[in-house]
Amino acid sequence: MNFKSSTLLLSQLSLALSRNRGISLCRKYSSQIGAAATAASPSALQQNWDSAHAKNPAFAVERDLPTPKNRKREIGLFMVFATITWGAGSIIAFNYQRMTSTPVTAALFTARHNDEVHETLGSQLNFTSSFPWISGDISHLKGFVDVEFDVVGDKGLPGRLVLKSRRTGKQNGEWKTTEFYILMADGRKIDCGE
């Protein structure tokens, strides 16, 4: 017997054994499943039905249902939380709108290039924080700007920029600035309108 024929014989023998083993495993598992299915006989099902304390097949309709919980407290807490969240979100959105408006950014730019502000506060005049609180109101429809916000320069001295302006006529886009200054902590006013 040569090497090729012995290898071929061994491969055929292992193939035959694996097929027989697979068939016997399938028969073994299928017989267990069938035995479990025949174990649930009609008498066992009847006993399960009787143990459910059913008066008739429509027992689900006739049984006593539990009373639902009173959820007034949870609904009230949800309403309070939703109101606070909505209110805080609205305040933040309107403040961001004022912060990024044209009058505020233009006022900050103009004050930044004022010589007296440059000498007193420094060259890098900006908001005191990344999200400052802008007091006052801006209404392009009604024609007025009345805002105040905190500023600080690179010298570290804080100040409060005040801008008040009114539209002179409804047909034209001319505005008249009535107040535009930086109020320092010692009470001194630096006029930025010049």
Side-chain angles (χ1 to χ4, degrees), residues 138-180:
I138 298 170
S139 176
H140 294 290
L141 182 64
K142 294 179 181 176
F144 69 91
V145 175
D146 186 4
V147 292
E148 297 181 16
F149 53 93
D150 293 327
V151 292
V152 67
D154 58 356
K155 292 185 178 178
L157 296 172
R160 186 154 184 89
L161 193 141
V162 177
L163 174 64
K164 294 183 181 180
S165 183
R166 302 281 179 259
R167 186 169 48 215
T168 56
K170 293 196 177 206
Q171 299 300 325
N172 55 10
E174 294 180 9
W175 291 71
K176 182 178 180 185
T177 302
T178 56
E179 295 181 32
F180 183 31

Side-chain angles (χ1 to χ4, degrees), residues 20 40 61 67 73 126 137 151:
N20 287 340
V61 176
T67 58
R73 183 173 186 266
N126 212 339
D137 197 12
V151 292

Side-chain angles (χ1 to χ4, degrees), residues 31-89:
S31 65
Q32 288 177 353
I33 291 171
T38 56
S41 64
S43 63
L45 291 174
Q46 184 62 35
Q47 289 173 355
N48 289 340
W49 182 261
D50 291 338
S51 66
H53 303 291
K55 296 178 183 174
N56 59 18
F59 74 96
V61 176
E62 295 179 3
R63 68 180 178 185
D64 293 334
L65 295 175
T67 58
K69 291 181 181 179
N70 188 355
R71 301 215 175 230
K72 286 183 182 178
R73 183 173 186 266
E74 287 89 358
I75 291 172
L77 286 174
F78 172 75
M79 293 303 291
V80 167
F81 179 73
T83 303
I84 290 171
T85 304
W86 183 80

Side-chain angles (χ1 to χ4, degrees), residues 120-141:
T120 308
L121 295 173
S123 60
Q124 297 297 324
L125 185 70
N126 212 339
F127 297 118
T128 55
S129 65
S130 58
F131 195 74
W133 181 253
I134 309 294
S135 302
D137 197 12
I138 298 170
S139 176
H140 294 290
L141 182 64

Side-chain angles (χ1 to χ4, degrees), residues 17 19 24 30 34 55 116 134 139 148 163 168 183 189:
L17 285 175
R19 285 184 183 166
S24 66
S30 64
K55 296 178 183 174
E116 192 177 351
I134 309 294
S139 176
E148 297 181 16
L163 174 64
T168 56
L183 180 64
K189 289 182 181 181

Side-chain angles (χ1 to χ4, degrees), residues 9-43:
L9 183 63
L10 282 175
S11 64
Q12 288 176 352
L13 181 63
S14 64
L15 181 65
L17 285 175
S18 66
R19 285 184 183 166
N20 287 340
R21 180 178 286 168
I23 292 171
S24 66
L25 285 175
C26 291
R27 286 182 185 163
K28 182 179 176 183
Y29 288 124
S30 64
S31 65
Q32 288 177 353
I33 291 171
T38 56
S41 64
S43 63

